[in-house]
Amino acid sequence: MNYTSEVTNMCSVRNGVNHGPAPIPEEAKWVRAKEIKDISGFTHGVGWCAPQQGACKLTLNIKNGIIEEALVETLGCSGMTHSAAMASEILVGKTILEALNTDLVCDAINTAMRELFLQIVYGRSQSAFSEDGLSIGAGLEDLGKGHRSQVGTCYSTKLKGPRYLELAEGYVTKIGLNERDEIIGYEYINFGKMMDFIKKGESPMDAINKSSGSYGRIKDAVKLIDPRQE
């Protein structure tokens, strides 16, 4: 290590204070993290691309500094979905420092990794006070039984009003209106359940019928409209 002459000519003064790092909460323990392997936790957050035209929700389950589980969900350009496929292969097995400095292809995914890194190293994880943290596989619980991202897509114009297209329950097929043309409910198809029925050998129409449902006061509707056509 090279020192300037100014530093070399200084006399030594002892630093008597050394408290070490502040403890952070990790899986129901207080940890003074000094190395990457000291970090554990489950967390998720959102990143965005440079022109802010798309976003990524990233979920990581980290044990002893290693990413053991990753869920990558993207919204935006078509390239983001392919980037998510690559990131799912790239992330797992890496330390959080390696992942922070790895090209995850998409700006939104890179930004999400940065934001999650900050959360996890400061102890702001979802499992901070959960004994032994969350089991590997906990990330799938965000998707529900259908293993599909919960997407909300709604469209509206001043002239014609709102259209619900897809909500947490699934793909909206009909919107129910009252006598004042206000939305009071909707019918939907849960695509995750539908595909499970089809994979079990059921006909597509039977699968659709079994995966369909309604929300709100759909029985009181005076009119049903297709939000994509009417």
Side-chain angles (χ1 to χ4, degrees):
M1 189 175 298
N2 296 322
Y3 296 97
T4 65
S5 58
E6 289 83 0
V7 174
T8 302
N9 293 329
M10 288 179 180
C11 64
S12 296
V13 177
R14 184 172 178 272
N15 181 5
V17 179
N18 184 10
H19 295 305
I24 61 174
E26 288 186 24
E27 301 185 343
K29 299 186 294 288
W30 288 99
V31 177
R32 294 182 183 273
K34 296 183 178 180
E35 302 179 38
I36 293 296
K37 65 180 179 62
D38 296 331
I39 301 294
S40 293
F42 179 96
T43 190
H44 41 210
V46 175
W48 51 94
C49 64
Q52 298 185 357
Q53 293 174 345
C56 165
K57 180 191 173 189
L58 181 61
T59 302
L60 298 178
N61 201 345
I62 298 156
K63 304 291 185 184
N64 303 316
I66 303 293
I67 297 173
E68 297 286 350
E69 177 186 17
L71 172 64
V72 189
E73 301 173 88
T74 58
L75 173 68
C77 68
S78 58
M80 295 178 74
T81 61
H82 295 84
S83 298
M86 297 177 70
S88 68
E89 297 189 32
I90 292 169
L91 283 168
V92 290
K94 281 185 165 53
T95 69
I96 55 173
L97 185 59
E98 286 178 307
L100 182 68
N101 289 290
T102 296
D103 182 9
L104 299 174
V105 189
C106 170
D107 276 350
I109 305 174
N110 281 313
T111 304
M113 183 63 227
R114 181 194 71 196
E115 297 301 308
L116 264 63
F117 181 89
L118 293 175
Q119 290 180 30
I120 205 77
V121 297
Y122 284 121
R124 304 319 196 256
S125 69
Q126 301 293 314
S127 59
F129 300 102
S130 301
E131 190 171 352
D132 295 326
L134 298 182
S135 301
I136 308 303
L140 289 177
E141 294 180 6
D142 274 3
L143 300 179
K145 293 181 179 179
H147 287 182
R148 251 178 79 85
S149 296
Q150 297 186 59
V151 178
T153 306
C154 299
Y155 178 74
S156 183
T157 61
K158 181 181 177 182
L159 181 65
K160 298 295 184 178
R163 299 292 189 276
Y164 298 171
L165 302 176
E166 189 158 354
L167 296 173
E169 295 85 0
Y171 178 95
V172 177
T173 56
K174 296 287 184 180
I175 295 175
L177 306 180
N178 63 14
E179 62 279 357
R180 295 188 298 274
D181 288 334
E182 298 167 332
I183 297 174
I184 59 171
Y186 51 86
E187 295 179 348
Y188 62 85
I189 301 172
N190 186 311
F191 278 168
K193 290 181 180 179
M194 182 187 77
M195 291 306 299
D196 285 341
F197 286 129
I198 291 174
K199 285 187 288 185
K200 290 177 182 177
E202 304 213 18
S203 71
M205 283 310 303
D206 285 342
I208 287 175
N209 291 332
K210 285 187 175 183
S211 305
S212 298
S214 64
Y215 183 85
R217 295 185 293 114
I218 197 73
K219 292 182 179 180
D220 297 331
V222 298
K223 181 166 51 174
L224 295 176
I225 66 168
D226 182 335
R228 292 167 177 79
Q229 301 295 330
E230 298 177 76

